Amino acid sequence: MNTFNRQEFASDNYAGTCPEALHWFLEANASGHEPAYGDDRWTQRSTDMLRKLFDIECDVYFVFNGTAANSLALASLCQSYHSVICTPVAHIETDECGGPEFFSNGSKLLVAENTSDAARLGKLTPDAVHTLVTKRTDIHYPRPKVVSITQATEMGTVYSVDEVSAISQMARKHQLKVHMDGARFANAVAHLGCSPADVTWRAGVDVLCFGGTKNGLPIGEAVVFFDRQLSEDFAWRVKQAGQLASKMRFISAPWVGLLENDVWLHNARHANAMAQRLHQGLCQLPGVMCIHTPEANGVFAQLPAKTVDAMQARGWKFYQFIAGGGCRFMCAWDTTEASVDAFLADMHTELAR
Ligand SMILES: *Cc1c(COP(=O)(O)O)cnc(C)c1O
């Protein structure tokens, strides 16, 4: 039985695996027996490709998902009495079930104020970092150690290279490390049109969690340490956390498919373009209030409550938990123009009722 489900806008992880990733998954299988736990040639190859992409001899580790990538990366930067500065909408704060705190044995997340224009766009600012670091310096307060930013943000916006640099400079000033949750890093780079190095280590980022899943992999994220001193013992951390795949090649080989011929960038550009199409269509519909212009692959808009219900009754899946009743629509690497247009047509019908 092969029932084709229609495309949804709930999350970019609803999509399947892109053909290039699947090709290398099958190649890795066709090679027969291979050394386990990452000592295979696919892991070596994708690691080398990531080093080339970032133009630096970084340390790379592959894990199953973003929660593990973020949690373990942060744990490697913190002692239990440290804290991590992030926004109120940060995935590490709202959607990882306390994973960062758990894996760091208690490091606390310090959430920035949600009052500035930047905060409405899901962004942290150097000022917000400064305020949190200087608010308390006494022994009774967990000591700030890391700044974590999400690129692209949970609100579908993208930090410019200058914005990342400014945050990193403030972090350095206070002896903090910089972590980037890049679950949608590809979409951010596609928007910026810069090199991946420019918006990461050259802008002061120490560790990047580079998302593969939402970009077209079946599974897997890469934790990329630009400061190799910080990855000391990381391999043991990954193993202890149950994140060391024994058949590692099935996580790492699909990365070859993403990295070869810039498929990661093409996938991201396509998803971003579909978000623009959806945004433009939504903005033209009476009764829809677009919250802000998307920069990555997520669209945010406010719809009348009855339209939300009607669209969901029609079977469309999307989230509506962000930004005070706003709805979120995510586009994926395989979202088609026809799917966007079908969604818009149903919206048009329901709004006219
Ligand atoms: C999807 C996502 C992750 C990873 O989530 P997992 O479900 O653990 O893979 C991390 N950060 C952000 C911002 C995300 O959107």
Side-chain angles (χ1 to χ4, degrees), residues 12 44 47 103 110 121 123 173 197 209 219 245 254 297 324 327 338:
D12 26 1
Q44 186 60 51
T47 299
F103 283 107
L110 292 184
L121 296 173
K123 292 183 181 179
K173 196 174 143 194
C209 296
I219 187 171
N297 58 329
C327 296

Side-chain angles (χ1 to χ4, degrees), residues 15-97:
T17 306
C18 70
E20 297 86 352
L22 203 52
H23 168 80
W24 288 102
F25 185 94
L26 294 173
E27 286 288 307
N29 195 48
S31 73
H33 286 208
E34 279 285 336
Y37 300 111
D39 291 331
D40 62 279
R41 62 187 127 144
W42 314 103
T43 303
Q44 186 60 51
R45 185 160 167 189
S46 46
T47 299
D48 288 344
M49 289 172 95
L50 282 165
R51 288 181 178 147
K52 190 143 177 268
L53 180 70
F54 285 99
D55 200 14
I56 192 171
E57 278 297 302
C58 44
D59 272 349
V60 177
Y61 299 85
F62 297 99
V63 296
F64 294 107
N65 64 14
T67 299
N70 286 334
S71 298
L72 298 175
L74 290 170
S76 73
L77 303 179
C78 287
Q79 297 289 337
S80 57
Y81 47 84
H82 284 143
S83 55
V84 176
I85 292 173
C86 65
T87 71
V89 295
H91 198 271
I92 56 170
E93 161 71 6
T94 62
D95 287 290
E96 299 191 353
C97 193

Side-chain angles (χ1 to χ4, degrees), residues 137-201:
T137 52
D138 59 270
I139 198 82
H140 307 287
Y141 200 61
R143 187 173 180 196
K145 184 68 182 201
V146 181
V147 174
S148 176
I149 54 178
T150 308
Q151 176 77 315
T153 71
E154 289 80 359
M155 298 299 291
T157 54
V158 174
Y159 289 95
S160 68
V161 172
D162 286 348
E163 284 173 327
V164 175
S165 296
I167 289 169
S168 298
Q169 274 167 28
M170 181 59 79
R172 289 286 174 274
K173 196 174 143 194
H174 294 293
Q175 285 98 47
L176 310 177
K177 300 294 180 198
V178 180
H179 162 258
M180 182 176 273
D181 173 350
R184 300 189 179 91
F185 181 71
N187 304 90
V189 173
H191 172 75
L192 292 171
C194 67
S195 85
D198 285 347
V199 74
T200 54
W201 64 272

Side-chain angles (χ1 to χ4, degrees), residues 30 127 184 201 213 237 253 268 299:
D127 276 355
R184 300 189 179 91
W201 64 272
T213 311
R237 204 179 274 289
V299 178

Side-chain angles (χ1 to χ4, degrees), residues 312-325:
Q312 287 177 342
R314 280 175 179 260
W316 290 105
K317 293 187 176 62
F318 52 88
Y319 285 108
Q320 44 166 338
F321 57 92
I322 298 173

